[in-house]
Structure formats: structure tokens, C-alpha cells
Amino acid sequence: MEPIILASSSPRRQEILKLLNIPFKVMIPEFEENVPSDIPLEEVPEFFATKKVSAVAHSLPPSQEFSWILGADTAIICNKKIYGKPKDLEEAYQFLKQLQGKTHKVITGLALFNGELHYVTNRTVITKVTMSPMTDEEINWYLNSGEWHGAAGGYRIQGLASCFITKIEGTNSAVVGLPIFELYDMLKEQGYSIIK
């Protein structure tokens, strides 16, 4: 299998690629996360995933050949507001305070660049997650675990936050940040087989 460039520093996304035995190398994209005012919130993660792919492609030397670049971005939407990664403990607290007791959407956008065809294919995956009501004591207990660092919405579904998740409509891998079915389907569609 040809190696894929993963345009993300997420350890969770790396774990999923390892699970699928897809060889990859990480290149962290550098770009401004500015959301254009005319983009619906549900389309922001796919927009950022595409920007990540483009940033990595443009950072490579012209002589370097590359076949595949994968970008992904995850955000949470609740009450018409987008929640990315909290910048500090206080913001993580505010995020959880606003998400607890509600159903929110976890949206992951994918972008896959096929270097041979010079073509980018995209997908957006929406999962609905319902959180139980949480007391301040429970929120602080969770925040003290440190899991909120680098996690959209300030929580990781695969960790201690699962104590407070009452319902998931969709797939766990999409909430973690790399939806496995959609990734497999995109790769297969582009002629990249992982089942050899």
C-alpha cells in the first residue's frame, strides 16, 4: 500500500489508520482557521479538512511526488453555535456546561487528495450525541482528567466522557474524528485498497 500523508496531528486519527494497517506519515498543516460568513455551520469541518489538505500540498517541495493526502476536521454544533477545541480549562468548562443535558451534532469533514488524478473528494459525517445532565462536581471531575485538551467540545467520547453519553445516533469513529466506513469508502472509490 502507498503511504498516505495525514494532514492532522490527532493521535486518535493516527490510531484509526494504524488499526486499518494504512501506512502514513503525519504533516501538520499551517493555515488560519477563519470561517467564511457565508458557509453553513454544518459545512465548516469539510471546509477546514480541505484547507488542511491544500496547506500540506502547497508546503511540499515541487520535486516531491505524493499520491495521497488525507485531511479531517471535527466540530460540535449545539443551539446554532460551533464548538471547536477549547483554548483553556475555563472554556472547556463553559463548553461542557452548555452541552450537558442536550443532544448535539458532532460533524466530521473528510478530504482525500488523489495525487495521480489531482482530485479532491470530500465527505461530511453527522452524528448526534446526547449527554446526560451533569453537576458542576461531575464537570470538574471530568476536566481534572485532562481529556478535554485538543478535543472538539471539550470531551473525548472514547474516554471518561462516556460516563455521561446516554445516546449516539451514528458511529463512534466519526465522533472520535475519523469515520471508518466513510474513509474506507472514499479510498475504495479512488482505487486505494486496504484489503490486499
Side-chain angles (χ1 to χ4, degrees):
M1 272 186 274
E2 291 178 274
I4 286 176
I5 294 174
L6 175 62
S8 169
S9 60
S10 163
R12 266 59 54 193
R13 293 185 181 123
Q14 294 174 40
E15 285 166 14
I16 289 173
L17 290 180
K18 286 175 187 169
L19 171 74
L20 299 172
N21 290 317
I22 296 173
F24 68 93
K25 66 177 185 175
V26 172
M27 288 190 70
I28 300 169
E30 290 187 27
F31 73 103
E32 292 290 323
E33 288 200 15
N34 295 323
V35 180
S37 58
D38 59 340
I39 290 187
L41 292 182
E42 277 86 358
E43 294 177 19
V44 170
E46 188 177 300
F47 174 79
F48 281 157
T50 305
K51 293 280 276 185
K52 288 177 181 181
V53 166
S54 178
V56 165
H58 287 98
S59 72
L60 294 168
S63 59
Q64 185 176 343
E65 288 189 22
F66 53 93
S67 298
W68 306 95
I69 304 174
L70 175 65
D73 192 79
T74 301
I76 286 173
I77 295 178
C78 186
N79 294 331
K80 298 181 181 175
K81 180 182 172 186
I82 196 159
Y83 294 78
K85 298 170 185 172
K87 62 180 182 292
D88 55 31
L89 185 66
E90 188 168 323
E91 189 169 54
Y93 174 85
Q94 292 303 324
F95 282 6
L96 291 177
K97 191 79 173 165
Q98 291 162 28
L99 295 174
Q100 60 86 28
K102 297 187 181 90
T103 298
H104 57 267
K105 292 178 184 176
V106 180
I107 301 177
T108 296
L110 295 176
L112 178 67
F113 177 77
N114 181 329
E116 190 177 324
L117 300 176
H118 294 278
Y119 175 75
V120 177
T121 183
N122 301 83
R123 297 276 176 95
T124 290
V125 182
I126 299 176
T127 305
K128 289 184 179 175
V129 176
T130 304
M131 273 192 160
S132 67
M134 297 169 72
T135 64
D136 284 353
E137 184 182 19
E138 287 172 322
I139 291 173
N140 287 319
W141 171 79
Y142 179 70
L143 292 174
N144 285 333
S145 74
E147 282 184 3
W148 63 272
H149 287 282
Y155 74 90
R156 296 194 194 287
I157 199 166
Q158 72 274 31
L160 292 174
S162 56
C163 292
F164 309 108
I165 305 298
T166 63
K167 188 178 181 184
I168 300 171
E169 295 173 67
T171 64
N172 267 23
S173 63
V175 181
V176 170
L178 195 58
I180 293 174
F181 169 75
E182 285 76 12
L183 172 62
Y184 173 73
D185 200 47
M186 288 169 77
L187 290 168
K188 186 169 70 169
E189 183 181 273
Q190 294 297 312
Y192 186 105
S193 177
I194 69 168
I195 58 172
K196 291 176 182 173

